[in-house]
Amino acid sequence: MEEGSFLHVTSPLVLSVTTLIIAVLCNNLVRHLNNASKWPLIINKESVLRRLGIRLGDIPTTVILDSAVAVDALVRRADAFSDRPAGGGATTIISNGRLQIITTVPYGPHWVALRRNLSSEAFHPVRGLARAAPHRARALSALAADLAARSASAVPVHECLYTALFTLNAATCFGDGVVDGERVEAMRAAQQEFLRILPSFRVFSTFQKVAKLLYRDRWNQLVHCRRRQEELYLPLIRARQEWRRTRAKTAAAAATSYVDTLLDLEVPDGGNPPHGRRKLNDGEMVGLVSEYLGAATGTVLAVLEWTLANLVLRPDVQSRLRGEVEAAAGAGGEASCAYLRAVVMESLRQHPPVPSVQRHMSRDVVVGSTPVARGTLVNFSLEEVGRDGKIWMSPKEFIPDRFMPGGEGEDVRLTIGTKEATKVMMMPFGAGRRICPGMGYAILHIEYFLANLITAFEWHPFEGEEVNLKADHGFFTTMFHPLQARVVPRVRRQP
Ligand code: HEM
């Protein structure tokens, strides 16, 4: 928890000038010392700045670990807890706040338009999710072939899942027929690199001019990443536009892609008269596409990898799950897969890929019994809620049965609105107005891939490769030691 660093307690004008001077001096000093020294580099800008009390990008933060307090704030007092910090995403940073994506846009009509478009248009149960079924089937069959081809050695599960999920999300994003394999691979590499370095761009979210001066290399890297995304995404957006124009008659039968919905969308123009609407511009489209590909791939991938790792460690859970899925398939898909859902819930409880959610206070509030000043960031830990020993029995153990009838988590729901807010034991998708709009899409894909991967293959530890559940807290929480497994194709019995 960072409390009121130097940058937040002095008048902004004095501060900017002082910081600018310190920044230039510090830059020169560090360069001089590093050039003069014949020893390996021991001084860096961060350490010098921190000693001077300057932490660019830091905002005073209050951390909330208690689920009841979190729900009270996020759900019951949503009016005060609806915004994330301004300038918190690459698109917003690079455009100096002019361009917004769903994650960063302040609560209001622009947010409503962007969010409704994703959850009600792109993820419409029939137009979006159901019509994307062929994309899902293709991605699964390519993944199964990839796993089978590698089954003689330790399978790098993360890598295989990444390729399959990114290809699937690129198809649901840009639509059928406009993305070829080579371009998907280039986009995957660019997006993976972008997410890897994204947390380091936080320094630009406050005092951007000073930060740009101090971290010029990092700024250039950010600009380079965005250019690369524009080079890759804009031609596909144009191709889809053209495809829609020429294939207008048959287009009604095709799946609605996210880009289709963005091309149709009109957002408030924020001008005068107040009710004017406008189309999205190129910068906004690139930002929204990047948000979609990043969120839809990284989260689902993390959940699948954590779940498979736990199944490798727990052959008993694995064979029970396989038995349930095969029985349901044998019954023509009529039977429900309660245990499958329980396994996914247990994985989300223990390993939420997004470990915390943030809200930025636009006025003074009290959270629990803690007064929180305007301008503060409130950080709600989702990880702590799911692992709270006061709520869960043996919280560190992987026990899907806790979500089965009679278990302590039997009634737990993931959608947390006012009705469900009485019994909140986990909230991996957040809560309140800004709860994740991709929940349905994510659960559909996690269960689809898990059910198929578990019936097509047996999952074992690979000799000499320990399954280690240590977490890597990057942009998403993933496995610090990516899963390497022995994946054995199963010979399915003929019905
Ligand atoms: C297992 C999968 C996923 C998990 C655990 C997850 C988790 C989260 C969490 C915790 C938040 C913040 C909620 C809050 O502040 O209260 C969030 C927001 C968001 N998620 Fe997800 N997510 C997942 C999948 C997806 C998918 C598939 C998409 C689709 C593109 C997506 C798009 C978004 C967006 C756009 C937001 C910002 C919503 C807003 O500010 O209104 N997520 N997600």
Side-chain angles (χ1 to χ4, degrees):
M1 181 169 121
E2 303 284 347
E3 282 294 347
S5 65
F6 173 77
L7 279 178
H8 303 282
V9 291
T10 323
S11 110
L13 181 65
V14 176
L15 217 142
S16 297
V17 175
T18 319
T19 311
L20 192 63
I21 295 167
I22 295 174
V24 174
L25 289 176
C26 167
N27 222 8
N28 291 341
L29 178 71
V30 170
R31 198 177 308 139
H32 174 73
L33 286 175
N34 287 334
N35 286 344
S37 168
K38 43 183 189 297
W39 305 107
L41 186 75
I42 48 166
I43 298 175
N44 62 35
K45 274 177 236 166
E46 275 81 0
S47 59
V48 175
L49 287 173
R50 279 188 183 268
R51 282 189 181 275
L52 293 169
I54 298 173
R55 291 166 192 168
L56 290 171
D58 275 5
I59 304 174
T61 302
T62 297
V63 178
I64 303 294
L65 305 175
D66 186 284
S67 66
V69 175
V71 170
D72 179 55
L74 294 170
V75 178
R76 297 198 190 91
R77 293 192 289 147
D79 275 353
F81 292 86
S82 289
D83 286 334
R84 299 210 177 81
T91 303
T92 319
I93 293 171
I94 212 159
S95 71
N96 206 3
R98 278 176 294 107
L99 305 182
Q100 299 283 355
I101 55 175
I102 307 174
T103 318
T104 57
V105 65
Y107 178 74
H110 194 125
W111 172 77
V112 171
L114 293 180
R115 187 173 162 114
R116 188 179 290 153
N117 178 64
L118 177 66
S119 46
S120 309
E121 294 300 323
F123 293 157
H124 185 279
V126 180
R127 286 196 300 274
L129 298 185
R131 288 214 191 128
H135 297 313
R136 271 192 290 282
R138 269 198 295 274
L140 174 68
S141 123
L143 173 60
D146 188 19
L147 292 172
R150 294 170 188 251
S151 62
S153 47
V155 173
V157 177
H158 185 96
E159 202 182 304
C160 300
L161 289 173
Y162 206 124
T163 304
L165 291 170
F166 192 85
T167 309
L168 164 60
N169 290 321
T172 60
C173 180
F174 294 104
D176 224 358
V178 292
V179 200
D180 62 70
E182 214 172 294
R183 189 170 283 264
V184 170
E185 183 45 33
M187 290 196 296
R188 187 193 63 77
Q191 194 68 27
Q192 213 165 354
E193 174 64 3
F194 181 63
L195 281 190
R196 193 183 63 76
I197 54 183
L198 191 54
S200 72
F201 299 146
R202 200 172 67 113
V203 292
F204 302 115
S205 56
T206 56
F207 297 94
Q208 202 180 88
K209 283 195 179 129
V210 179
K212 267 162 85 172
L213 206 87
L214 267 173
Y215 298 101
R216 202 168 308 155
D217 290 354
R218 224 180 274 188
W219 180 259
N220 290 340
Q221 208 178 10
L222 174 60
V223 173
H224 171 79
C225 274
R226 178 43 52 111
R227 294 261 152 80
R228 183 79 186 120
Q229 288 183 327
E230 285 168 6
E231 274 166 27
L232 289 166
Y233 303 159
L234 284 175
L236 294 180
I237 294 169
R238 306 260 186 274
R240 186 68 182 183
Q241 219 164 2
E242 185 55 19
W243 180 88
R244 281 157 48 100
R245 202 180 56 77
T246 51
R247 300 273 304 272
K249 284 201 184 98
T250 49
T256 305
S257 72
Y258 187 43
V259 165
D260 289 333
T261 69
L262 294 177
L263 288 168
D264 290 335
L265 182 65
E266 295 196 331
V267 292
D269 68 5
N272 220 351
H275 302 299
R277 311 283 292 179
R278 64 168 176 86
K279 292 281 193 189
L280 296 170
N281 61 37
D282 282 354
E284 288 169 309
M285 294 276 261
V286 170
L288 287 161
V289 162
S290 170
E291 176 185 58
Y292 180 94
L293 293 174
T297 307
T299 52
V300 172
L301 164 66
V303 178
L304 280 171
E305 190 185 13
W306 283 116
T307 312
L308 289 167
N310 276 292
L311 294 181
V312 168
L313 290 170
R314 293 287 306 274
D316 56 324
V317 176
Q318 188 180 146
S319 64
R320 179 168 164 196
L321 177 60
R322 185 176 297 123
E324 183 197 65
V325 174
E326 285 184 339
E334 294 295 307
S336 77
C337 286
Y339 196 63
L340 172 65
R341 176 59 57 94
V343 168
V344 173
M345 291 290 278
E346 180 63 344
S347 188
L348 283 165
R349 179 189 72 77
Q350 276 202 327
H351 314 283
V354 181
S356 62
V357 297
Q358 287 81 36
R359 297 291 185 270
H360 194 241
M361 295 299 100
S362 53
R363 55 179 144 106
D364 295 350
V365 288
V366 175
V367 188
S369 53
T370 313
V372 175
R374 177 171 175 262
T376 302
L377 192 74
V378 184
N379 193 322
F380 300 91
S381 171
L382 307 183
E383 243 171 16
E384 292 294 328
V385 175
R387 296 178 194 166
D388 188 344
K390 294 193 291 304
I391 308 181
W392 298 99
M393 281 182 291
S394 312
K396 289 189 182 151
E397 281 175 43
F398 190 78
I399 312 176
D401 263 317
R402 55 175 108 239
F403 292 98
M404 296 296 280
E408 75 221 272
E410 180 185 0
D411 297 328
V412 170
R413 299 283 169 271
L414 293 172
T415 313
I416 303 169
T418 39
K419 273 198 208 137
E420 297 79 4
T422 44
K423 190 186 179 190
V424 174
M425 295 168 69
M426 59 191 269
M427 38 181 177
F429 292 94
R433 277 183 189 157
R434 311 276 315 215
I435 193 170
C436 177
M439 192 195 306
Y441 182 83
I443 296 287
L444 173 75
H445 285 168
I446 293 166
E447 292 188 347
Y448 174 80
F449 279 96
L450 191 58
N452 282 289
L453 292 178
I454 216 71
T455 47
F457 300 95
E458 277 173 20
W459 296 76
H460 302 285
F462 195 84
E463 217 179 293
E465 294 285 347
E466 188 203 357
V467 178
N468 185 330
L469 298 181
K470 183 178 167 190
D472 179 8
H473 295 283
F475 191 76
F476 298 117
T477 304
T478 52
M479 292 181 69
F480 188 84
H481 301 284
L483 176 63
Q484 304 271 339
R486 188 161 68 86
V487 181
V488 183
R490 293 180 69 239
V491 184
R492 298 212 207 180
R493 271 174 272 135
Q494 293 301 317

